[in-house]
């Protein structure tokens, strides 16, 4: 039985908004190399906590136990979707029928390929009110998207509303990549945020694990 591991995490470099660094120590001067990192809590691949949009007081360090961050996640292929388009329940196709309470949902849009373009933020594919409410009703555990947000960052009412619908019930992970490398309809997903006390969110490392010879249906 062969197992594949796909890293769905954006690397931190200067193309990622909200990330920068400066030299703290140099090998030739100090004896070792080290950097001081400047990191926005929702930069790159990251997880939101309920307090991010005032849904509740739960912070990122209060998600527990450790296995809370491991679950089964279905992949929906919406590659080629229009900029700023609304993602509806109908876009889930067969996944809408197969998803079980406690499963995760990853929406592939290939939007991570636009990381260096203005459109990456300005034209993000958006989770509709219908889909957000559906995720809550169906008890989706985690919703992952490739854009920097589940809703338009240029529309405060929309971005607030969609986050508030989801965050009390659904873990939100934004800024994913490499969903095109997943070959199977669902994977085991590991999404581990940095353990930041009182954090409104945190960068996280996200790994998809798929069994190539396992009958997933």
């Amino acid at each position: 039985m062969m197992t594949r591991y796909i890293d769905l995490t954006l690397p931190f470099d200067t193309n990622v908004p909200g990330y920068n660094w400066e030299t703290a120590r140099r090998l030739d001067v100090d004896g070792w190399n080290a950097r001081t990192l400047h990191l926005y809590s929702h930069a790159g691949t990251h997880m939101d906590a309920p307090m991010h949009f005032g849904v509740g007081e739960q912070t990122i360090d209060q998600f527990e136990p450790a296995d809370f961050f491991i679950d089964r996640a279905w992949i929906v292929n919406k590659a080629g979707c229009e900029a700023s388009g609304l993602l509806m329940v109908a876009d889930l196709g067969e996944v809408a029928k197969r998803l079980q309470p406690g499963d995760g949902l990853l929406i592939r849009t290939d939007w991570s390929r636009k990381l260096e373009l203005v459109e990456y933020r300005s034209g993000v594919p958006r989770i509709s009110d219908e889909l957000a409410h559906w995720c809550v009703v169906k008890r989706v555990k985690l919703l992952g998207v490739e854009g920097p947000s589940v809703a338009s960052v240029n529309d405060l009412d929309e971005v607030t509303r969609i986050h508030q619908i989801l965050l009390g019930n659904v873990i939100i992970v934004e800024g994913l990549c490499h969903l095109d490398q997943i070959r199977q309809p669902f994977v085991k997903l590991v999404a581990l945020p940095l353990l930041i006390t009182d954090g409104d969110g945190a960068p996280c490392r996200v790994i998809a694990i798929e069994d190539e010879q396992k009958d997933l249906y």
Side-chain angles (χ1 to χ4, degrees), residues 189-200:
L189 192 74
V190 181
L192 298 174
L194 292 178
L195 192 60
I196 299 174
T197 300
D198 298 331
D200 53 86

Side-chain angles (χ1 to χ4, degrees), residues 30-190:
D30 306 294
W32 66 88
N33 289 315
R35 293 176 174 182
T36 297
L37 305 181
H38 301 277
L39 188 61
Y40 175 57
S41 57
H42 298 267
T45 306
H46 65 276
M47 183 180 293
D48 293 349
M51 67 97 66
H52 179 39
F53 274 89
V55 175
E57 297 183 358
Q58 188 179 31
T59 53
I60 203 72
D61 55 307
Q62 294 173 342
F63 287 160
E64 58 180 25
D67 62 3
F68 179 82
F69 302 106
I70 303 171
D71 62 3
R72 180 173 75 164
W74 293 84
I75 292 81
V76 171
N77 187 353
K78 292 302 296 178
C81 65
E82 295 182 1
S84 302
L86 277 175
L87 296 166
M88 311 296 290
V89 174
D91 291 311
L92 304 184
E94 287 296 308
V95 170
K97 301 176 184 178
R98 296 182 179 274
L99 185 142
Q100 299 296 313
D103 286 348
L105 180 63
L106 305 178
I107 301 181
R108 173 190 166 187
T109 57
D110 292 343
W111 211 251
S112 58
R113 298 177 186 177
K114 301 178 183 290
L115 178 62
E116 298 179 36
L117 305 178
V118 172
E119 191 179 28
Y120 180 70
R121 286 183 62 81
S122 66
V124 61
R126 300 140 59 217
I127 300 298
S128 65
D129 289 61
E130 178 205 35
L131 181 53
H133 284 296
W134 183 90
C135 287
V136 173
V137 170
K138 294 296 183 180
R139 293 166 52 198
V140 172
K141 181 178 179 183
L142 178 148
L143 175 61
V145 298
E146 288 193 64
S149 175
V150 290
S152 173
V153 296
N154 297 316
D155 185 333
L156 181 58
D157 288 340
E158 177 183 295
V159 77
T160 299
R161 184 176 69 254
I162 299 301
H163 277 86
Q164 288 184 340
I165 291 170
L166 292 167
L167 274 178
N169 303 276
V170 181
I171 302 169
I172 298 176
V173 176
E174 298 160 324
L176 295 171
C177 63
H178 300 152
L179 290 175
D180 59 317
Q181 296 182 20
I182 297 175
R183 302 172 182 171
Q184 298 184 327
F186 64 77
V187 294
K188 177 182 286 187
L189 192 74
V190 181

Side-chain angles (χ1 to χ4, degrees), residues 72 74 98 184-187 210-211 213-217:
R72 180 173 75 164
W74 293 84
R98 296 182 179 274
Q184 298 184 327
F186 64 77
V187 294
E210 64 178 16
D211 247 332
Q213 298 179 26
K214 186 176 181 181
D215 182 1
L216 293 176
Y217 288 102

